[in-house]
Amino acid sequence: MTGHPGARDGSPGTSGTLPGDDARHPAKTGKKHALSDTDAEWVDELVRSWTEVYKKAATTLALLRIIRDRGPLPASAIAPQFTEATGWSITERGLYRTLRRLADTGALHIEKVDVARTGAKRQDFELTAIGAAYLEGIEAQLL
C-alpha cells in the first residue's frame, strides 16, 4: 500500500494524524468537502484494503455460523448459503481451502458420506466442540 500524498512522511498514520484530522475535517466544521482526485484515489485504496482484510475474516465467521445452524453440510450446500448470508461470491477453491483450514485447526469435522446411487463419497462438514467454542469466542468479542 502506498502512502497518502498528504501524509508527512509519505505513509499513513506514522505522524500520529491522518489527512483531514484538522479543522478542515467536515465532521469538525459541519461543512461538506468534495474530494480531490488524489484523495478519492486514496479513499478507494483504503476501502479496497480494508474490505479485503474484512472479507477474509468475515468468511470464517459466516461459514462457522452456517455450519453450526444447518450442518452437517456438503460444500455444495454451503456455498449458496454463504452467498445468501453475505451477498459475496466465493470460489469453489476458496471455499474448500477455508473449510480445510478450519478442519485442520479442529474447528470442523469432515465426514465421508456415501452418495446415493453412485457409490461416490462426499464430504460433509460439521462443527466440532472446538469449532463451537471458537465461534462463541468470536461472537462474544465482536457482537
Side-chain angles (χ1 to χ4, degrees):
M1 183 185 313
T2 59
H4 180 272
R8 289 187 181 114
D9 68 352
S11 62
T14 57
S15 68
T17 61
L18 293 174
D21 281 352
D22 59 16
R24 295 177 298 137
H25 192 278
K28 294 180 181 179
T29 64
K31 299 178 184 176
K32 292 183 181 180
H33 294 280
L35 294 177
S36 69
D37 289 344
T38 303
D39 285 346
E41 287 177 24
W42 176 240
V43 169
D44 288 345
E45 172 65 19
L46 289 172
V47 170
R48 186 201 59 74
S49 176
W50 184 87
T51 302
E52 187 177 303
V53 170
Y54 171 75
K55 282 176 93 171
K56 286 179 184 177
T59 295
T60 295
L61 175 61
L63 291 174
L64 290 173
R65 284 178 142 188
I66 289 165
I67 294 167
R68 175 196 61 197
D69 295 345
R70 300 178 186 123
L73 292 169
S76 61
I78 295 170
Q81 292 180 40
F82 175 83
T83 299
E84 181 181 324
T86 64
W88 305 328
S89 62
I90 188 167
T91 65
E92 184 176 338
R93 181 178 176 203
L95 176 62
Y96 275 102
R97 183 175 48 234
T98 304
L99 292 171
R100 289 215 184 279
R101 178 181 50 80
L102 289 168
D104 289 345
T105 65
L108 296 179
H109 171 72
I110 301 173
E111 180 79 26
K112 303 253 187 212
V113 177
D114 290 327
V115 177
R117 296 185 217 139
T118 66
K121 299 255 188 209
R122 76 165 189 250
Q123 297 179 344
D124 282 359
F125 297 87
E126 183 174 19
L127 209 59
T128 64
I130 291 170
Y134 179 40
L135 179 56
E136 287 173 15
I138 292 170
E139 290 176 332
Q141 293 295 313
L142 294 178
L143 307 175

